[in-house]
Amino acid sequence: TATPVIDTLSEEEKEEMKLVEKILDDNLFTYYFQPLIKVSDGSVFAYEALMRSTTDPMVSPLTIIKYANMMDRLVDVEKHTFLNVLAYIDANPELFPQHKIFINSIPGTKLDDDVYDMVESLLLANSKTVVIEMTEETNLTSEEIDEMKKRYERLGIQIAVDDYGSGYSNVSNLIQYMPDYVKIDRSLISDIHDKPQKQFFVREIISFCHENNMLALAEGVETSEELKTVIGYGIDLIQG
């Protein structure tokens, strides 16, 4: 018989897992809103809601996802993310007058019907504001992707693909999703001014986006050289 996952963990990891369990049980989350800048005029185009724990010590989002996955509780991450962020947007419309809000979603998760109904009514009320950002590796079938796309189209919600160009986010995924926004992974943006291979790929991605009516976003822009390079290639949005 297979060894239970918890038996393979060190004492320190077991403690971490216990803390993540508490975070999920008690909804111990807060969110930071990171700006996405529009290159054409330097204005704030949108904000991405970044998940953080309110615990001391704080637990990183990747660690929360890792243990939630081990405990088969990714659906709880999804539920809290949607309900928390949508409730915040709903309660504070003056903070986001013209801005989109990108909300991270783990595509394979299935919310319970009652939770889904709450999420859907909040999405409907904020459909002009919300962009659903597809994160994490997922092995959805073409049918599941189509069904998800139709659902968001019906609600009038735009979608984004996160970390494009990283391990799992490949061309066939992009063609299936045909999103409104493509977020180019920071691994392709880092030191791009010195890396001809990265320059080639990023130019190709931006060109594909523009030919297919998508906006291209550069993630993790940290230096003026990176900024100048991606602006030169026609990037639409910057996140750093």
Side-chain angles (χ1 to χ4, degrees):
T1 57
T3 312
V5 170
I6 194 153
D7 292 346
T8 67
L9 301 178
S10 67
E11 284 311 310
E12 194 183 337
E13 287 170 326
K14 284 176 186 169
E15 284 303 308
E16 251 184 344
M17 187 188 243
K18 207 181 286 178
L19 184 53
V20 170
E21 195 169 13
K22 183 172 173 53
I23 290 167
L24 295 174
D25 287 346
D26 298 343
N27 190 12
L28 302 179
F29 291 105
T30 187
Y31 300 85
Y32 293 120
F33 290 84
Q34 187 183 37
L36 281 57
I37 304 299
K38 195 175 177 182
V39 167
S40 59
D41 62 6
S43 66
V44 174
F45 173 77
Y47 293 93
E48 180 183 350
L50 301 175
M51 172 177 82
R52 297 291 182 266
S53 76
T54 58
T55 52
D56 184 18
M58 191 179 87
V59 182
S60 79
L62 286 177
T63 302
I64 292 171
I65 295 287
K66 179 177 91 172
Y67 289 114
N69 195 18
M70 279 183 195
M71 294 184 280
D72 206 17
R73 291 189 62 180
L74 285 176
V75 70
D76 290 324
V77 177
E78 186 86 344
K79 175 181 80 173
H80 290 315
T81 300
F82 271 96
L83 292 178
N84 291 344
V85 177
L86 285 165
Y88 188 79
I89 295 169
D90 222 32
N92 299 280
E94 74 287 351
L95 294 180
F96 311 106
Q98 302 296 325
H99 304 115
K100 300 276 186 193
I101 306 291
F102 282 57
I103 302 179
N104 290 303
S105 172
I106 306 163
T109 52
K110 294 268 192 292
L111 297 171
D112 290 343
D113 287 348
D114 57 334
V115 175
Y116 179 75
D117 290 343
M118 276 193 284
V119 168
E120 187 164 277
S121 64
L122 282 165
L123 284 174
L124 209 46
N126 296 283
S127 62
K128 290 187 167 52
T129 305
V130 171
V131 176
I132 305 291
E133 184 172 325
M134 304 300 170
T135 65
E136 304 305 315
E137 182 165 357
T138 180
N139 296 315
L140 295 187
T141 64
S142 303
E143 288 76 19
E144 287 170 320
I145 291 176
D146 283 345
E147 187 189 324
M148 186 173 62
K149 277 195 67 179
K150 285 198 183 95
R151 187 169 77 230
Y152 288 133
E153 275 167 19
R154 195 183 75 241
L155 296 170
I157 304 269
Q158 292 187 313
I159 62 173
V161 164
D162 192 23
D163 299 335
Y164 185 73
S166 68
Y168 73 89
S169 194
N170 55 33
V171 175
S172 62
N173 267 3
L174 183 60
I175 288 169
Q176 280 205 291
Y177 278 112
M178 289 303 279
D180 302 281
Y181 306 88
V182 176
K183 300 184 77 175
I184 303 170
D185 190 66
R186 65 183 304 162
S187 61
L188 285 176
I189 302 300
S190 178
D191 296 324
I192 187 170
H193 49 287
D194 282 337
K195 302 276 196 288
Q197 296 89 342
K198 290 185 182 184
Q199 293 167 15
F200 172 80
F201 279 120
V202 169
R203 281 201 304 263
E204 290 289 303
I205 296 165
I206 294 170
S207 153
F208 178 85
C209 287
H210 291 170
E211 283 169 22
N212 289 282
N213 205 23
M214 303 170 184
L215 293 182
L217 178 148
E219 292 184 314
V221 176
E222 302 294 344
T223 67
S224 55
E225 290 92 342
E226 291 165 1
L227 182 64
K228 281 183 201 141
T229 305
V230 293
I231 288 175
Y233 296 153
I235 202 81
D236 302 294
L237 301 165
I238 300 281
Q239 188 172 7

